[in-house]
């Protein structure tokens, strides 16, 4: 079955850290453009990060630059989003999805079911 499965969300205090995982099954992530997105209650979707399929560069939305780091482990067929210095405004459901375009919030490819991140003040 072709799918993406996120994990690692939870409740954390402001200033804390979480690491989200997105594991692919049924296909390999090696050369896929894949990104993280988030959607907070009452707000539109935001493209958080996007790792290119070709040159491997990673895009981050300004709001998370310097705090979030996206990485890929091809051996585990998994991508990660390391989130540090979390703020209440980072509270959202986080999704990973294929075929990301840097800076664009639209999800174009396969996506996971999402994982909730809640940051308390």
């Amino acid at each position: 079955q072709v799918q993406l499965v996120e994990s690692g969300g939870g409740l954390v205090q402001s200033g804390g850290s979480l690491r989200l995982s997105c594991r692919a099954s049924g296909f390999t992530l090696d050369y896929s453009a894949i990104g993280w997105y988030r959607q907070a209650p009452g707000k539109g979707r935001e493209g958080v990060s996007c790792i290119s399929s070709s040159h491997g560069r990673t895009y981050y939305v300004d709001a998370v630059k310097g705090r979030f780091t996206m990485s890929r482990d091809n051996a585990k067929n998994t991508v990660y989003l390391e989130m540090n210095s979390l703020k209440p405004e980072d509270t959202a459901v986080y999704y990973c999805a294929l075929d990301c375009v840097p800076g664009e919030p639209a999800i174009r490819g396969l996506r996971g079911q999402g994982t909730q991140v809640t940051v308390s003040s």
Side-chain angles (χ1 to χ4, degrees):
Q1 185 178 5
V2 174
Q3 60 179 354
L4 295 170
V5 178
E6 302 97 335
S7 60
L11 173 64
V12 64
Q13 288 189 332
S14 182
S17 298
L18 284 173
R19 187 176 80 156
L20 305 183
S21 299
C22 170
R23 182 175 59 83
S25 59
F27 69 102
T28 57
L29 281 174
D30 289 19
Y31 303 106
S32 302
I34 185 165
W36 286 96
Y37 300 79
R38 66 185 180 184
Q39 187 156 20
K43 295 187 177 180
R45 186 184 302 118
E46 180 177 47
V48 175
S49 63
C50 175
I51 190 164
S52 166
S53 60
S54 54
H55 47 64
R57 276 178 245 166
T58 307
Y59 158 88
Y60 298 97
V61 69
D62 285 348
V64 308
K65 282 180 181 176
R67 300 187 298 121
F68 290 12
T69 303
M70 183 177 179
S71 62
R72 184 202 298 258
D73 185 336
N74 289 339
K76 295 184 178 180
N77 217 25
T78 300
V79 295
Y80 303 96
L81 186 67
E82 185 78 34
M83 307 187 295
N84 298 313
S85 302
L86 283 162
K87 305 175 182 180
E89 51 264 43
D90 294 318
T91 295
V93 178
Y94 284 71
Y95 304 88
C96 60
L98 297 179
D99 302 331
C100 58
V101 175
E104 288 200 11
I107 291 180
R108 300 165 180 267
L110 179 69
R111 56 163 266 192
Q113 82 289 351
T115 186
Q116 175 71 47
V117 171
T118 303
V119 184
S120 63
S121 56

